[in-house]
């Protein structure tokens, strides 16, 4: 391991030691809050303590979806923090606008912006395995089988949810260890087309979902069932 990576690891470990330990039993199952989608997932493919891939809009275009996702994470009984690992490539295309989040979400959201893609994967794995995060969301080009296996093991070690926001659709041609694989795209009337492409014991499906600004949650849009 290079001196630079060793130095970064030591800094992360010192930071982790400065946080309060996560209370025993603090982790809780996470749900999108849409029963029809949940029925397409097996227990093994559940969100908690596992890795998931999401392809599609990861910049400002997907703001509402990610705001809803983050808010639902904080509505869970897990009181640990969330890491968002932002890609340096999204500087001009639109990063997550944290001021759009509720103040109580901003207080527990920590954003890291590595300079290189391989550093982002390293940060992703280290934060997942630290045990201090209820979830780690990372903008990455794509995952391969080896990197996804390491990340899944880190999820299990840290009892954390890992969400990879994959920016390169070529990754869809590769097999990974992710428990679920999704794709999101804009739809008319400020809705989102959410596709469950595959995973471990899942039934693929496609839904139109809408975002409720008041409830800060997602729900099925009318006539969206497939």
């Amino acid at each position: 391991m290079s001196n630079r990576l060793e130095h970064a690891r030591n800094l992360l470990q010192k930071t982790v030691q400065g946080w309060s330990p996560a209370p025993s039993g603090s982790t809780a199952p996470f749900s999108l809050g849409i029963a029809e989608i949940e029925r397409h997932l097996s227990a093994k493919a559940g969100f908690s303590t596992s890795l998931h891939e999401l392809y599609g809009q990861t910049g400002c275009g997907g703001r509402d979806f990610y705001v809803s996702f983050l808010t639902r994470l904080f509505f869970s009984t897990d009181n640990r923090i969330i890491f968002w690992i932002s890609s340096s490539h999204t500087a001009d295309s639109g990063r997550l606008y944290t001021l759009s989040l509720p103040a109580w979400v901003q207080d527990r959201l920590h954003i890291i912006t590595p300079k290189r893609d391989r550093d982002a994967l390293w940060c992703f794995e280290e934060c997942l395995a630290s045990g201090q995060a209820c979830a780690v969301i990372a903008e990455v080009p794509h995952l391969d089988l080896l990197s996804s296996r390491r990340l899944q093991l880190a999820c299990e070690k840290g009892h954390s949810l890992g969400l990879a926001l994959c920016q390169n659709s070529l990754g869809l041609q590769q097999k990974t260890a992710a428990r679920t694989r999704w794709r999101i795209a804009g739809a008319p009337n400020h809705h989102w087309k959410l596709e469950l492409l595959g995973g471990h014991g899942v039934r693929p499906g496609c839904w139109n979902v809408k975002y409720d600004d008041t409830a800060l949650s997602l729900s099925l849009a009318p006539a969206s069932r497939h």
Side-chain angles (χ1 to χ4, degrees):
M1 179 180 296
S2 68
N3 291 335
R4 181 179 177 183
L5 284 179
E6 183 64 33
H7 178 65
R9 183 187 292 274
N10 291 336
L11 287 177
L12 179 60
Q13 289 176 344
K14 288 180 180 179
T15 303
V16 169
Q17 291 169 1
W19 292 330
S20 299
S24 176
S26 64
T27 58
F30 171 76
S31 167
L32 285 174
I34 303 177
E36 181 162 334
I37 296 180
E38 300 292 335
R39 286 195 289 270
H40 283 246
L41 304 174
S42 68
K44 188 176 182 180
F47 279 94
S48 301
T49 67
S50 55
L51 175 68
H52 307 271
E53 291 176 278
L54 179 61
Y55 286 82
Q57 295 168 319
T58 58
C60 58
R63 168 195 168 274
D64 286 347
F65 183 84
Y66 301 120
V67 167
S68 173
F69 188 87
L70 285 168
T71 304
R72 286 203 64 82
L73 281 171
F74 282 107
F75 275 147
S76 73
T77 59
D78 193 326
N79 60 1
R80 295 176 296 169
I81 64 175
I82 288 179
F83 284 111
W84 185 293
I85 301 172
S86 178
S87 169
S88 59
H89 303 309
T90 61
D92 298 322
S93 60
R95 292 178 179 171
L96 177 72
Y97 184 58
T98 56
L99 294 180
S100 66
L101 299 170
W104 47 274
V105 174
Q106 295 180 41
D107 291 342
R108 289 168 56 194
L109 178 65
H110 296 254
I111 297 179
I112 304 172
T113 307
K115 293 182 178 180
R116 300 177 298 181
D117 292 336
R118 65 178 181 178
D119 293 337
L121 282 173
W122 180 83
C123 289
F124 196 5
E125 182 178 349
E126 290 292 317
C127 291
L128 283 170
S130 70
Q132 297 298 326
C134 67
V136 183
I137 302 170
E139 299 172 21
V140 295
H142 62 83
L143 300 179
D144 56 26
L145 186 57
L146 178 59
S147 62
S148 63
R149 281 177 174 170
R150 291 178 61 94
L151 291 168
Q152 175 57 35
L153 289 174
C155 288
E156 296 170 5
K157 179 180 179 180
H159 300 282
S160 301
L161 184 158
L163 181 62
L165 306 183
C166 300
Q167 302 162 334
N168 189 338
S169 60
L170 293 177
L172 290 170
Q173 301 173 14
Q174 300 190 46
K175 291 184 178 180
T176 70
R179 293 295 183 256
T180 62
R181 176 175 278 183
W182 305 78
R183 179 162 53 202
I184 184 174
N189 301 318
H190 303 289
H191 294 165
W192 299 99
K193 180 181 179 182
L194 183 63
E195 296 179 79
L196 175 57
L197 302 175
H200 290 243
V202 307
R203 288 189 296 123
C206 181
W207 304 267
N208 282 345
V209 297
K210 61 181 180 179
Y211 178 73
D212 187 327
D213 285 302
T214 302
L216 296 174
S217 64
L218 291 171
S219 61
L220 286 182
S224 66
R225 295 169 174 80
H226 293 274

